[in-house]
Amino acid sequence: MIGQRKDDHVRLAVEHQREHSGRNQFDEVSFVHHGLAAIDRPDVSLATSFAGIAWQVPLYINAMTGGSTKTGVINRNLAIAARETGVPLASGSMSAYFKDPSCADTFSVLRTENPDGFVMANINATASVEKAQRAIGLLRANALQIHINTVQETVMPEGDRSFSSWVPQIEKIAANVDVPVIVKEVGFGLSRETVLTLRDLGVRVADLGGRGGTDFARIENGRRDLADYAFLDGWGLSTPACLLDAQDVGIPVLASGGVRNPLDVARALALGASGVGVSGGFLRTLLDEGVAALIAQISTWLDQLAALQTMLGARTPAELAGRDLLIHGGLRSFCADRGIETGRLAVRSRSAKAAHEPTGSPR
Ligand code: FNR
């Protein structure tokens, strides 16, 4: 039954990607163009590091699947794409493995096809410490993702209805595993308050997993006989809103949810993300066009991200966080209501420049 659910998720997520690849709140973030800010391409690096983790590139394939024959094949191809392009990769939820260890191969293929890559295990917030350790062990994982997904569980016909154990359980897992713990949303976003709670629980990294791409309220509603939760369409905080909300939270953040192209990657990095994840868009390429097309797409995105950094004068992804940004539309209203100052973002390169200029010397 879990295997059937995993196959349904893939089918519905890809159908949604085919129908809906339109606007989202990343369109409300733009760079101020400075025509003489550009640098030389050989001086640009894509490397990023955060929470003791070092990645060669700031892009990763985020959690999706495993647990059925079909999803095992998908994981194999995702692992091949990760190996060929050097991007980190996350497993889908490993609950199916805990229920039925005979499906272990559909997850462990992420490691066997990608022996030297950065691989993240994925569990839910009710898993025991022992299960968390088994998940990490099966994948020889470099980090552990714990997903939180109250909206999805609520709409899922067979979903959980009790959530109060999640906070103590996350704290227990974070204290008892020996890889960094990343807590992620699945497309409804982590608010500032949530990220601060996670930080206090000992979580090392927050993956903001915001609205704008794959929508699990819609997917789970599509699995209900009466589809009677349609009113939740559009619930949640967008990924750019989460990034703005989470400034200076004291732990590194990753951005995922609704990332459509290399410009969205650059926007997320400029808004403070240490890395940027993609799920649904890459899954669609894999299923519609095959693994070679996915490898080509990821390679092109990395190449174009380096080109954007060159144009914007950012030697590293982290330097993008000093580039001037304009915030428009509904995102700007969100910032006003949440007390986030946007004017500062529009001129922040001036203070960096002033710091590098000699003071008091005649011109
Ligand atoms: C997901 N996602 C997900 N996340 C998670 O932590 N555990 C999981 O098992 C799954 N399963 C899953 C299946 C499928 C088919 C998709 C497309 C996605 C959520 C995913 O990691 C991500 O947070 C959201 O999909 C938002 O990113 P995109 O799709 O808008 O790039």
Side-chain angles (χ1 to χ4, degrees):
M1 188 177 130
I2 269 206
Q4 182 58 49
R5 177 161 89 229
K6 299 296 157 183
D7 292 349
D8 286 351
H9 285 167
V10 166
R11 179 176 51 79
L12 291 163
V14 170
E15 274 172 17
H16 180 62
Q17 284 285 333
R18 288 187 192 120
E19 287 159 19
H20 169 96
S21 48
R23 290 183 64 79
N24 69 26
Q25 236 167 15
F26 275 110
D27 293 313
E28 296 180 354
V29 180
S30 56
F31 286 93
V32 176
H33 176 61
H34 297 304
L36 286 177
I39 55 174
D40 299 341
R41 179 68 173 263
D43 294 335
V44 167
S45 156
L46 292 179
T48 181
S49 58
F50 56 98
I53 294 169
W55 287 351
Q56 287 311 303
V57 294
L59 179 68
Y60 60 99
I61 302 174
N62 214 352
M64 282 188 268
T65 205
S68 68
T69 309
K70 271 191 204 161
T71 57
V73 173
I74 291 173
N75 272 348
R76 179 165 187 277
N77 284 322
L78 292 174
I80 292 169
R83 181 187 71 209
E84 295 303 312
T85 57
V87 297
L89 161 75
S91 168
S93 171
M94 296 171 73
S95 307
Y97 162 63
F98 303 138
K99 291 215 170 80
D100 175 11
S102 73
C103 71
D105 288 1
T106 67
F107 294 100
S108 58
V109 68
L110 294 170
R111 176 53 82 197
T112 46
E113 287 292 346
N114 183 27
D116 304 318
F118 191 99
V119 175
M120 294 173 266
N122 184 294
I123 58 174
N124 66 39
T126 65
S128 62
V129 169
E130 183 262 333
K131 281 181 175 156
Q133 285 164 342
R134 274 173 60 206
I136 294 165
L138 183 70
L139 302 187
R140 283 189 287 114
N142 306 90
L144 174 69
Q145 292 184 330
I146 304 176
H147 63 263
I148 59 174
N149 61 341
T150 50
V151 184
Q152 180 184 9
E153 294 291 343
T154 299
V155 183
M156 189 191 299
E158 67 278 37
D160 275 352
R161 300 291 181 260
S162 302
F163 305 113
S164 65
S165 66
W166 288 12
V167 164
Q169 202 53 30
I170 289 170
E171 186 169 33
K172 226 183 266 171
I173 296 169
N176 288 288
V177 298
D178 48 16
V179 295
V181 168
I182 301 168
V183 170
K184 72 182 286 289
E185 244 291 352
V186 301
F188 303 98
L190 300 177
S191 66
R192 178 179 189 83
E193 289 79 356
T194 310
V195 177
L196 292 174
T197 302
L198 293 172
R199 181 197 65 188
D200 294 345
L201 295 175
V203 169
R204 298 266 293 276
V205 181
D207 181 335
L208 301 172
R211 192 189 73 218
T214 302
D215 181 347
F216 266 99
R218 202 186 143 114
I219 289 174
E220 296 298 353
N221 198 41
R223 299 181 55 245
R224 294 178 75 84
D225 290 341
L226 296 175
D228 49 349
Y229 267 103
F231 53 79
L232 283 184
D233 264 13
W235 182 280
L237 299 172
S238 75
T239 302
C242 293
L243 284 161
L244 286 156
D245 212 32
Q247 283 174 79
D248 305 317
V249 281
I251 55 172
V253 298
L254 300 173
S256 66
V259 173
R260 304 159 299 176
N261 54 48
L263 178 56
D264 287 348
V265 177
R267 286 165 161 148
L269 295 167
L271 287 169
S274 295
V276 182
V278 177
S279 295
F282 287 167
L283 183 65
R284 175 169 86 145
T285 300
L286 176 63
L287 294 191
D288 286 354
E289 299 170 48
V291 68
L294 179 58
I295 292 168
Q297 182 180 27
I298 294 173
S299 304
T300 301
W301 279 39
L302 293 173
D303 188 48
Q304 292 180 338
L305 177 62
L308 292 175
Q309 280 184 223
T310 307
M311 189 178 91
L312 287 158
R315 283 175 181 74
T316 61
E319 278 188 19
L320 282 172
R323 294 298 162 267
D324 296 335
L325 289 178
L326 299 172
I327 308 296
H328 314 275
L331 191 56
R332 195 180 174 88
S333 311
F334 168 86
C335 290
D337 288 348
R338 295 281 284 170
I340 301 161
E341 209 208 309
T342 52
R344 194 176 46 86
L345 298 174
V347 294
R348 60 187 176 172
S349 71
R350 283 185 200 159
S351 47
K353 205 161 167 244
H356 287 106
E357 272 169 4
T359 48
S361 52
R363 303 222 162 191

